[in-house]
Structures are given as C-alpha cells and as structure tokens.
C-alpha cells in the first residue's frame, strides 16, 4: 500500500460522518449557519454603505448635478484580497483544523470593523474622504478570503453526505437573507445617520462580536491533510489541483461556469444602485430595498433548490435558473418608452436605444421590485447544484483547496465584473443611454450559458469515490 493510499484512508476514517446527528438537530451546523449569517450581514452592510457613498461623494464633488458612478473602485478594493489570499487560505484550511480558522477569522472581523468605525469618523470630518473606508473594505475582503475555504470546506467534513444539498441550500438561504438585511439596513442608516455614520460601525462591531461567539459552537474537525507542504504554488492553483481539473472535465467546466456566473452577478448590485438613484430617482433607503430584494429571491431559490435536490446534484435547476435569469434581466433592461418606434427615425433607420433623455425605466419601483425578486429566485436555482457539485466532487483531502480554487475563479470573475462594469457604464454615459441598458449587456453575456451548458444530473458523491480512488492510486 502506498503512502498516498495510507493518507487517503486515514483522512476518510477521520472524516467518517455516518455517526453524526441529523442535520437540524446538530448544534455544530446551527453554529456554522449563524456565524455565516452574521459574517454575510456585516460584509454587505459595510460594502453597501461604501458603494452608496461612492456615488454620492463623487456627485457632490463635480460641477453641475451630473451623477458619477465610482462603485467599481469599491468593488475592486473588496475583490483583490480574494485573488491574493484565497490560495494560501485553501492551503491553511486543509493543513490545519478548519474550525480554528473560522474562529480566528471572526476575531479578525471585530478588529476590521473597529477600523471601519474610524474610517466613518474620518469620512465625516475630512471632506468626505473615503480612503480609510477603502482600506477597511480591503481588510474586510481579506478576512472573508481566509474565511471562505474553511467555511465551505468544513461542511462535507462535519455533515453526512446526504445532508449536503439541504445544508448548502439552508446556508445559502440564510446567507442571502443576511445580504438582504445588510443591504437594506445600510440604506436606512445612510438616510437617517449620514452625519453620524459611527452608528453603522457600532452595529458592525456588535455583529462581529456575536459571530465570534457563535463560531465557538462549531465542532472541531481534524486537519484534512496535515502533511501538506506550503509551496509557491499554494498561493495560486497547486499542481495536484491542476492535475485534478485536467483529468475531470465536468469539474473544470463547472468551475469555469461558476466564474462566469459570478462575473455577471458582480455587475448586478451596482447596476441596481445606479438605476435606483438616477433613473428611478429613489433615495438610498429605497434603492437599498431594491438591491436587498434580490437576496430574498435568492434565499427562496436556494431553499427550494436544496429541497428539490433530494440528495442529488440536480442540474435541471441550472437550466431553469439560467433561462429565468435571462428573461428577468431583459425585463429590467427595457426603458420607459421601450417600443420599436423609439428605435427608428423617419426613414426607418436604427438610431438609438429607447428611452434616451427621459431618465426613466418602464417597470418603475414596484415593477422592478417584483422582477428583481424573481431574478434572485432563479439565481438561487442556478447556484445550489453548481456549488454542491464543486464541493462534493473532489476527494476528501482536496476539498479545502478545491473550495479555494473555486473562490479564486469566482473572484476573478467578480474582479473582471468591476472592470467590465466600469467600461460599460462609461459607454452608457458617453452615449447618454438610460442606465437600465446595463441589464441588457448582462443578459447578452449570460446567453452562452443558457445555450450551451447542459450537464447531466449526477448522484451526489457517485463520482467522488471514483475520483478519490484514482487519486490515491496515482
């Protein structure tokens, strides 16, 4: 028996989950769920505050009443740490116990939120400078980058295989509920306490402290691969992970689709923010409600997706989700006078996008609210099977690093989404097109997934065992 086989068998024995309690009777599961909820709440409260400030500060600094949109800068600042640190975070999550990393990350979150409080005071007193808040946002992204592989990698280690779809659906549901609350609360805090933003930081610090306490309820799990050595490749995609992806085409394709999905998803929140504050002339509070309602839809979609999966990776949900996202994005893209005549001049020649100059969008606040709810629901349908497949497919001793690679790929998508958003919004502004046209661009980019990504349904864990066996014998 080779040393690789010994290590694989030892890890499998350590990760035996057959004697664990049922999912909803497991205190450790609830501890992880609540910890993740508080973390997602803080991420989105803090980030949404800075996204909205990135619109209003620049608008006040320039001549006239033209609104400028610098949300992409905040997006880049938050995203870069995920690319820089996710690789080493995946290495740490496999070499050391994931529960310890979870707890340390929550302690670090308290320190980051204290710095954020200082940043809000500085913003208020120093001519609306966002520099300290951007530093705090960078550190928040760094903390989340180290938290991610441990958070998702620990689920297959502390839960039964048959519970993974429900667990992922439930955690994704509560995560997006946290996104709703964090995003909406940010808008109301900015509306009510724009000159006393330390109130927002006090909320963030309190939530971080609560999350640290709940993380202590997560059970300890043994290191998945304590013999793993730190090499330069640990900061990127390790060689064995590259080999795994090269040999497992469905896993590689799922990883690429996940990255593209997050590229497109990263463009939606700033598109909603700028639509609400300009085209629909809403305040920060109602704009944040628009952004938050997507989270309600995602939560419902994730919950339904987890229940429908019934212990399987149900790729049918991906088809439904991708088509639904395409349709709802197209609905969001239609300006106020969205009719064919508005596109043509007297000679029947194509002249411009409809709605130019009126600054409106045909759905209005209430129509957009319902459409964004369905957009979120279809997003949840799409996300659950893809994430469960990426979690369960790799062998046990590579799950943490696979999650890290997935996070890297996803955050490359998010990083590119900020640059793409900046380029497209510059074109929209230069051509004086209505802001709703951004949703048309996003819809066009999701079309290849709708047309070409049609994977077959797969039993949860069926390919996992074969992959683990092949890896152990190699």
């Amino acid at each position: 028996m080779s040393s690789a086989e010994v290590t694989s068998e030892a890890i499998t024995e350590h990760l035996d989950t057959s004697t664990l309690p049922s999912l909803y009777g497991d205190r450790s599961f609830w501890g992880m769920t609540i910890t993740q909820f508080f973390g997602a709440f803080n991420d989105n409260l803090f980030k949404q505050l800075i996204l909205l400030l990135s619109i209003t500060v620049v608008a006040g600094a320039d001549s006239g009443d033209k609104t400028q949109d610098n949300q992409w800068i905040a997006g880049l600042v938050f995203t870069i740490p995920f690319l820089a640190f996710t690789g080493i975070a995946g290495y740490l999550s496999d070499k050391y116990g994931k529960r310890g990393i979870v707890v340390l990350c929550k302690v670090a979150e308290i320190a980051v939120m204290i710095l954020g409080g200082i940043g809000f005071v500085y913003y208020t007193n120093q001519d609306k400078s966002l520099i300290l808040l951007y530093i705090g946002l960078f550190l928040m992204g760094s903390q989340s980058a180290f938290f991610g592989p441990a958070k998702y990698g620990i689920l297959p280690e502390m839960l039964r295989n048959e519970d993974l779809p429900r667990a992922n659906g439930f955690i994704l549901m509560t995560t997006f509920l946290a996104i709703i609350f964090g995003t909406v609360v940010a808008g109301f805090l900015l509306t009510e306490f724009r000159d006393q933003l330390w109130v927002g930081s006090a909320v963030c610090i309190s939530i971080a402290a609560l999350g640290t306490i709940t993380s202590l309820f997560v059970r300890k799990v043994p290191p998945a691969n304590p013999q793993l050595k730190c090499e330069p490749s640990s900061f990127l995609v390790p060689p064995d992970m590259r080999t795994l992806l090269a040999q497992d085409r469905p896993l590689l394709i799922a990883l690429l689709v996940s990255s593209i999905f997050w590229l497109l998803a990263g463009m939606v929140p700033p598109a909603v923010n700028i639509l609400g504050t300009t085209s629909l002339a809403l305040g920060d509070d109602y704009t944040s409600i628009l952004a938050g309602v997507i989270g309600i839809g995602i939560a419902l979609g994730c919950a339904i997706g987890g229940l429908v999966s019934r212990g399987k990776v149900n790729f049918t949900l991906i088809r439904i989700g991708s088509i639904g996202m395409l349709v709802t994005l197209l609905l969001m893209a239609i300006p106020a006078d969205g009719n064919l005549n508005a596109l043509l001049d007297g000679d029947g020649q194509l002249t411009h996008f409809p709605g130019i100059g009126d600054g409106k969008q045909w759905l209005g606040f209430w129509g957009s609210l319902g459409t964004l709810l369905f957009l979120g629901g279809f997003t949840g349908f799409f996300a659950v099977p893809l994430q469960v497949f990426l979690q369960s497919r790799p062998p046990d001793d590579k799950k943490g690093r696979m999650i890290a690679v997935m996070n890297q790929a996803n955050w490359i998508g998010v990083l590119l989404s900020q640059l793409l958003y900046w380029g497209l919004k510059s074109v929209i502004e230069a051509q004086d097109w209505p802001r709703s046209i951004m949703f048309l661009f996003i819809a066009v980019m999701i079309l290849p997934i709708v047309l070409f990504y049609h994977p077959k349904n797969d039993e949860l864990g069926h390919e996992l065992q074969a992959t683990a066996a092949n890896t152990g014998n190699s």
Side-chain angles (χ1 to χ4, degrees):
M1 182 179 293
S2 69
S3 60
E5 289 175 54
V6 172
T7 302
S8 178
E9 286 188 2
I11 291 169
T12 302
E13 180 180 354
H14 280 307
L15 300 182
D16 181 15
T17 57
S18 60
T19 60
L20 293 176
S22 63
L23 183 65
Y24 298 131
D26 191 342
R27 188 180 72 165
S28 183
F29 167 70
W30 289 110
M32 190 68 247
T33 300
I34 297 171
T35 299
Q36 160 64 7
F37 177 89
F38 285 144
F41 178 92
N42 255 357
D43 277 3
N44 287 276
L45 171 58
F46 193 63
K47 184 170 67 174
Q48 178 71 355
L49 283 171
I50 297 175
L51 284 173
L52 292 173
L53 290 174
S54 294
I55 298 174
T56 56
V57 169
V58 176
D62 280 5
S63 59
D65 58 359
K66 183 178 180 180
T67 300
Q68 292 190 12
D69 181 6
N70 271 5
Q71 294 176 92
W72 65 277
I73 297 178
L76 284 177
V77 167
F78 185 74
T79 303
I80 288 173
F82 288 90
L83 301 181
F85 304 131
T86 295
I88 190 64
Y91 157 78
L92 292 173
S93 71
D94 276 342
K95 184 174 179 61
Y96 303 102
K98 295 179 176 63
R99 189 258 195 183
I101 294 176
V102 167
V103 174
L104 287 175
C105 285
K106 300 312 293 182
V107 173
E109 185 181 333
I110 297 175
V112 172
M113 290 298 95
I114 291 174
L115 175 62
I118 297 172
F120 283 125
V121 173
Y122 186 81
Y123 168 85
T124 302
N125 297 329
Q126 297 294 324
D127 195 28
K128 313 301 183 185
S129 173
L130 287 167
I131 184 63
L132 279 183
L133 288 174
Y134 282 151
I135 293 173
L137 192 60
F138 177 87
L139 293 176
M140 171 61 86
S142 302
Q143 175 267 331
S144 297
F146 281 95
F147 184 61
K151 169 186 67 177
Y152 286 115
I154 200 173
L155 293 181
E157 297 180 9
M158 72 177 195
L159 300 175
R160 299 175 300 182
N161 271 352
E162 61 266 28
D163 286 333
L164 275 178
R166 280 190 301 156
N168 275 280
F170 195 84
I171 284 185
L172 283 172
M173 179 189 73
T174 53
T175 296
F176 285 105
L177 284 174
I179 291 173
I180 300 162
F181 294 135
T183 302
V184 172
V185 168
F188 281 91
L189 283 175
L190 199 56
T191 299
E192 300 296 329
F193 301 100
R194 181 172 285 273
D195 296 325
Q196 297 173 300
L197 289 176
W198 60 267
V199 174
S201 68
V203 173
C204 290
I205 294 169
S206 300
I207 294 296
L210 288 172
T212 303
I213 294 171
T214 59
S215 70
L216 300 176
F217 289 93
V218 178
R219 75 168 57 88
K220 293 181 180 180
V221 294
N225 193 351
Q227 285 78 38
L228 190 63
K229 294 182 179 179
C230 184
E231 301 173 349
S233 61
S234 299
F235 292 85
L236 300 171
V237 181
D240 60 338
M241 296 305 300
R242 292 199 294 269
T243 300
L244 176 65
L245 290 170
Q247 295 175 347
D248 194 333
R249 185 176 175 83
L251 187 65
L252 176 61
I253 293 175
L255 183 68
L256 294 175
V257 169
S258 179
S259 181
I260 295 171
F261 167 72
W262 282 101
L263 183 153
L264 303 178
M267 297 174 66
V268 172
V272 172
N273 283 339
I274 198 65
L275 177 75
T277 55
T278 57
S279 296
L280 300 180
L282 303 173
D284 293 325
D285 45 5
Y286 284 95
T287 296
S288 291
I289 289 175
L290 276 185
V293 78
I294 301 175
I296 295 178
I298 294 176
L300 293 173
C302 288
I304 296 171
L307 292 172
V308 170
S309 295
R310 296 183 179 275
K312 297 180 180 180
V313 179
N314 190 342
F315 283 125
T316 302
L317 293 173
I318 285 184
R319 295 292 311 280
I320 297 172
S322 61
I323 294 172
M325 286 189 291
L326 176 66
V327 171
T328 50
L329 286 168
L330 289 174
L331 290 174
M332 287 296 299
I334 302 174
D337 56 347
N339 58 75
L340 183 62
N341 291 333
L343 289 169
L344 307 175
D345 61 17
D347 297 326
Q349 299 297 314
L350 184 66
T351 58
H352 56 260
F353 281 101
I356 289 178
D358 59 18
K360 303 292 185 181
Q361 187 247 21
W362 79 301
L363 290 171
F365 173 75
W366 292 107
S368 296
L369 201 68
T371 304
L372 290 173
L373 178 67
F374 279 99
L375 173 62
F378 290 121
T379 300
F381 280 3
F382 189 94
V384 168
L386 197 62
Q387 180 159 298
V388 172
F389 181 76
L390 288 167
Q391 275 184 346
S392 62
R393 181 94 168 181
D396 290 331
D397 62 332
K398 292 181 173 63
K399 289 188 188 298
R401 280 171 294 154
M402 184 64 237
I403 297 299
V405 171
M406 180 186 75
N407 283 345
Q408 281 180 307
N410 291 348
W411 285 101
I412 287 173
V414 175
L415 177 67
L416 293 176
S417 77
Q418 304 308 307
L419 297 174
L420 188 58
Y421 178 84
W422 170 76
L424 292 175
K425 71 99 180 176
S426 298
V427 172
I428 291 172
E429 290 173 352
Q431 298 297 322
D432 196 26
W433 291 338
R435 298 305 179 101
S436 61
I437 295 301
M438 182 65 74
F439 294 99
L440 176 62
F441 289 128
I442 301 173
V444 169
M445 288 184 286
I446 204 173
L447 190 58
I449 293 178
V450 174
L451 295 177
F452 302 115
Y453 188 55
H454 305 150
K456 296 179 180 179
N457 285 335
D458 189 72
E459 290 282 346
L460 180 62
H462 176 70
E463 297 291 343
L464 168 62
Q465 300 303 323
T467 304
N470 291 336
T471 303
N473 292 328
S474 61

